[in-house]
């Protein structure tokens, strides 16, 4: 579970920032392995905002896998479109993304 809840305005801002990003982490047929979780966690620590591509079957399974990844990395799932999910986790030491207050 993430530390704080984001407002709709903050999520909208993050979706705008994430629009131009390319997926960095790919989840394939093996599913959500410890290596995938570790890679996602390190990418979130470095960039705060991360696109993940999940090619693991139908929509319900993709949503479950992306939600599980967000839970395991203690990040927030901002958006899912097709096979792609957008995750956000604030870096407490050196935050590079400035969120709107409301």
């Amino acid at each position: 579970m993430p530390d704080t809840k984001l407002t709709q305005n903050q999520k909208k801002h993050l979706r705008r920032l994430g629009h131009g990003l390319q997926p960095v982490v790919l989840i394939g047929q093996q599913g959500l392995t410890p290596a995938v979780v570790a890679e996602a966690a390190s990418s979130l620590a470095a960039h705060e905002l991360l696109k993940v591509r999940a090619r693991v079957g139908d929509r319900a399974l993709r949503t479950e896998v992306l939600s599980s990844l967000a839970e395991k990395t203690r990040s927030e799932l901002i958006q899912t479109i097709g096979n792609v999910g957008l995750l956000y986790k604030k870096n407490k030491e050196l935050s590079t993304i400035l969120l709107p207050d409301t």
Side-chain angles (χ1 to χ4, degrees):
M1 205 78 192
D3 297 332
T4 59
K5 277 293 200 186
L6 297 173
T7 65
Q8 289 300 322
N9 194 25
Q10 290 170 331
K11 287 181 180 182
K12 184 189 235 181
H13 178 71
L14 290 171
R15 285 193 299 269
R16 255 185 265 136
L17 292 176
H19 181 72
L21 297 178
Q22 293 297 316
V24 175
V25 176
L26 305 174
I27 303 172
Q29 296 301 320
Q30 299 297 322
L32 196 57
T33 63
V36 169
V37 173
E39 181 63 30
S42 69
S43 293
L44 280 166
H47 303 289
E48 294 183 298
L49 194 61
L50 173 70
K51 265 192 182 176
V52 179
R53 183 176 308 262
R55 295 198 176 173
V56 290
D58 66 348
R59 181 184 303 180
L61 183 57
R62 279 193 307 268
T63 302
E64 181 182 326
V65 166
L66 289 170
S67 296
S68 180
L69 178 62
E71 184 180 311
K72 289 181 180 188
T73 58
R74 298 181 55 90
S75 62
E76 187 159 345
L77 183 61
I78 303 298
Q79 177 182 37
T80 58
I81 296 179
N83 294 331
V84 178
L86 184 66
L87 298 172
Y88 172 75
K89 182 177 180 182
K90 183 176 181 172
N91 186 333
K92 293 180 177 160
E93 296 172 11
L94 182 62
S95 183
T96 58
I97 296 177
L98 185 62
L99 293 175
D101 290 334
T102 59

